Amino acid sequence: RSYRPDHPLGTRHAPHCSLLILPPPGSTPAEQFCRAIKKDKDHYSEFTDEKQFDNFRRVTESVARTHGTMNVLTPNFQVNVADQAQVDLFRVQQDFMYAVFVDKLKTDKAKSLVRTYETTQNAQQVWRSLLDHQQTSTTGELHREQIMRHLNTHKLDTSSWRGTLASYITHWLNQFREWEALTPVANH
């Protein structure tokens, strides 16, 4: 096992691993994005019920992290317009996520938002508007009130709660976390 500077890994007997594949020389970040992890719209779940937004958001953000598109779902992210490679990369990320939203956003409001940004295909703005809608709409407010009513009035009753005390506490904390995520920070 001798050192070989002309070998990309430096040794004759380097293990073969797909994670060690280097991008072609001279490829742009946008080209690397297109060749990287297999991005498939079917990896994302459908959004069909506004009451399930918390779960949809969590799954969508998780998949977007693995696909390398989380910048699109970060409402305050701004691309450095002085760096053309970053602009191109963000554009292909936007294109992919917009295609996901066209396919997966099924509620009336979500479909309306997709149509609103059809000419620009601004997936970041679709996501930002969807988050805003969930926090400020009447539907979102009613859902938050329902969660808060549950948090304030539900009592542990061993005849109706089938799980353990620990699972009840976990359930209660998850309900609180969901309420907090759906509530504008100014209202905390």
Side-chain angles (χ1 to χ4, degrees):
R1 293 186 192 205
S2 61
Y3 175 72
R4 289 182 42 202
D6 59 327
H7 191 280
L9 300 175
T11 63
R12 242 181 259 190
H13 305 288
H16 294 284
C17 176
S18 62
L19 296 176
L20 298 176
I21 295 173
L22 300 174
S27 63
T28 67
E31 291 169 336
Q32 291 173 19
F33 171 79
C34 292
R35 289 187 191 119
I37 298 169
K38 180 182 179 205
K39 290 164 278 302
D40 187 347
K41 292 186 298 185
D42 291 333
H43 293 166
Y44 293 84
S45 59
E46 288 188 346
F47 179 49
T48 57
D49 182 358
E50 291 196 16
K51 289 183 180 181
Q52 299 300 319
F53 179 74
D54 183 60
N55 186 56
F56 170 76
R57 179 198 52 77
R58 189 172 40 259
V59 169
T60 300
E61 289 176 353
S62 175
V63 174
R65 274 189 190 85
T66 64
H67 284 173
T69 58
M70 193 58 200
N71 287 341
V72 175
L73 302 185
T74 304
N76 298 326
F77 175 78
Q78 292 181 346
V79 69
N80 179 2
V81 293
D83 184 345
Q84 190 59 44
Q86 277 190 13
V87 170
D88 293 343
L89 173 61
F90 192 62
R91 178 74 262 153
V92 295
Q93 291 172 338
Q94 287 257 55
D95 291 345
F96 174 72
M97 289 307 296
Y98 187 82
V100 169
F101 292 159
V102 166
D103 195 44
K104 300 298 180 178
L105 296 181
K106 303 292 187 182
T107 66
D108 291 337
K109 180 61 179 181
K111 287 193 278 188
S112 173
L113 291 172
V114 168
R115 289 183 197 112
T116 299
Y117 298 102
E118 182 176 10
T119 55
T120 61
Q121 296 199 354
N122 188 338
Q124 186 181 40
Q125 189 58 46
V126 171
W127 187 252
R128 185 183 300 134
S129 298
L130 188 59
L131 291 173
D132 184 58
H133 171 73
Q134 292 302 314
Q135 291 188 340
T136 60
S137 70
T138 303
T139 303
E141 187 175 330
L142 291 172
H143 185 57
R144 284 191 308 278
E145 286 177 10
Q146 178 184 2
I147 293 171
M148 185 52 73
R149 191 174 324 109
H150 174 75
L151 290 171
N152 288 328
T153 62
H154 195 265
K155 296 178 181 151
L156 177 59
D157 179 7
T158 55
S159 65
S160 63
W161 183 259
R162 302 265 187 256
T164 64
L165 178 58
S167 68
Y168 176 80
I169 292 170
T170 300
H171 165 76
W172 193 93
L173 289 172
N174 188 51
Q175 292 295 305
F176 181 76
R177 183 205 48 75
E178 183 176 353
W179 174 85
E180 189 175 45
L182 295 172
T183 304
V185 175
N187 296 348
H188 286 186

